[in-house]
């Protein structure tokens, strides 16, 4: 990780945690009941859900659960390992490959703990367009999609800095679509999705300090860096 990233990650993580805590406190202040705009969004989605749109939303929402997020986390590990300047021994390659996956699993445990601690009820079942389980806040699909896509984007950015913009944009679009599909399908209130995104951002910010860095080969003097290897 670069020196700049070392300075930024505590600020980013702290900001996301504070916003998440403020949102949770706001909802707890009214006993986890939905705000008026949340009820309106849930009613609107139930009234504007033709068959084709529902089918597309179900396909999108399924990307935020099941095997897909864990495959994306493994892809992040593969990118990290392949970007190393020299082949790693199995003893070092396996932990680097599995680190993003384990970070996602650890995040799921944190998210589940918070969900069962808060116990926010889901929207009325009559408005659901797909199955759902557990409590509502924070949204598991929103958190999971943000973290798995973010881990892959982070690995790509570290390995290929020139691809930073498309990688980050792709991760943001993926997380946004999955989160919004949860609202459209009627199984989450809007603030559940926002909470999932905020918690995911905090988890990703900490990941920049925890996950293995990509170490690039040393550059000859005069080739743009002051010698030695660099790590991202």
């Amino acid at each position: 990780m670069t020196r700049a990233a070392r300075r930024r990650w505590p600020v980013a993580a702290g900001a996301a945690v504070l916003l998440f805590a403020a949102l949770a406190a706001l909802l707890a202040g009214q006993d986890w009941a939905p705000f008026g705009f949340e009820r309106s969004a849930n009613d609107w989605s139930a009234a504007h859900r033709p068959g084709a749109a529902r089918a597309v939303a179900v396909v999108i929402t399924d990307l935020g659960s099941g095997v897909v997020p864990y495959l994306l986390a493994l892809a992040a590990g593969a990118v990290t390992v392949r970007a190393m300047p020299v082949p790693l021994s199995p003893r070092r390659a396996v932990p680097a490959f599995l680190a993003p996956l384990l970070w996602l699993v650890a995040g799921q445990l944190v998210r589940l703990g918070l969900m069962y601690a808060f116990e926010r009820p889901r929207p009325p079942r009559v408005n659901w367009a797909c199955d759902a389980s557990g409590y509502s806040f924070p949204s598991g699909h929103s958190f999971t999609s943000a973290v798995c896509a973010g881990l892959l984007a982070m690995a790509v950015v570290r390995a290929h800095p020139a691809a930073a913009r498309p990688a980050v944009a792709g991760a943001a679009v993926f997380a946004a679509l999955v989160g919004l599909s949860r609202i459209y399908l009627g199984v989450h209130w809007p603030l559940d999705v926002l909470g999932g995104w905020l918690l995911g951002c905090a988890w990703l910010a900490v990941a920049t300090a925890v996950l293995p860095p990509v170490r690039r080969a040393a550059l000859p003097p005069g080739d743009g860096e002051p010698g030695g290897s660099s790590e991202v």
Side-chain angles (χ1 to χ4, degrees):
M1 185 170 57
T2 62
R3 291 179 181 177
R6 289 191 182 97
R7 291 193 298 267
R8 288 195 299 264
W9 81 261
V11 176
V17 168
L18 286 175
L19 290 172
F20 177 83
L23 180 58
L26 180 66
L27 290 170
Q30 61 172 31
D31 201 24
W32 302 101
F35 287 90
F37 77 90
E38 292 187 288
R39 292 187 184 276
S40 296
N42 186 255
D43 292 339
W44 183 92
S45 68
H48 297 81
R49 200 184 287 149
R54 176 190 175 279
V56 171
V58 168
V59 170
I60 293 172
T61 211
D62 285 346
L63 297 176
S65 65
V67 69
V68 172
Y70 299 97
L71 290 177
L72 292 178
L74 288 174
V79 170
T80 299
V81 172
R82 287 180 60 86
M84 296 296 181
V86 294
L88 299 179
S89 66
R91 184 176 62 84
R92 296 183 61 193
V94 171
F97 174 65
L98 293 178
L101 175 64
L102 296 177
W103 191 248
L104 175 59
V105 171
Q108 296 287 31
L109 296 177
V110 171
R111 193 264 307 170
L112 284 169
L114 291 171
M115 182 185 74
Y116 282 102
F118 296 144
E119 296 185 348
R120 188 186 196 197
R122 288 184 182 270
R125 186 178 291 270
V126 68
N127 286 345
W128 292 11
C130 67
D131 293 332
S133 61
Y135 294 104
S136 201
F137 181 87
S139 165
H141 281 67
S142 302
F143 171 83
T144 304
S145 59
V147 172
C148 70
L151 288 171
L152 180 55
M154 188 168 66
V156 171
V157 170
R158 286 175 161 185
H160 308 287
R165 288 186 179 180
V168 173
V173 169
F174 179 80
L177 289 176
V178 172
L180 293 176
S181 74
R182 304 303 286 168
I183 301 171
Y184 185 67
L185 293 171
V187 293
H188 274 293
W189 303 110
L191 292 183
D192 301 334
V193 171
L194 178 59
W197 286 336
L198 288 173
L199 186 62
C201 288
W203 202 243
L204 284 172
V206 178
T208 62
V210 172
L211 297 187
V214 175
R215 291 180 173 83
R216 297 197 188 93
L219 295 174
D223 278 6
E225 292 194 16
S229 63
S230 64
E231 59 181 54
V232 179

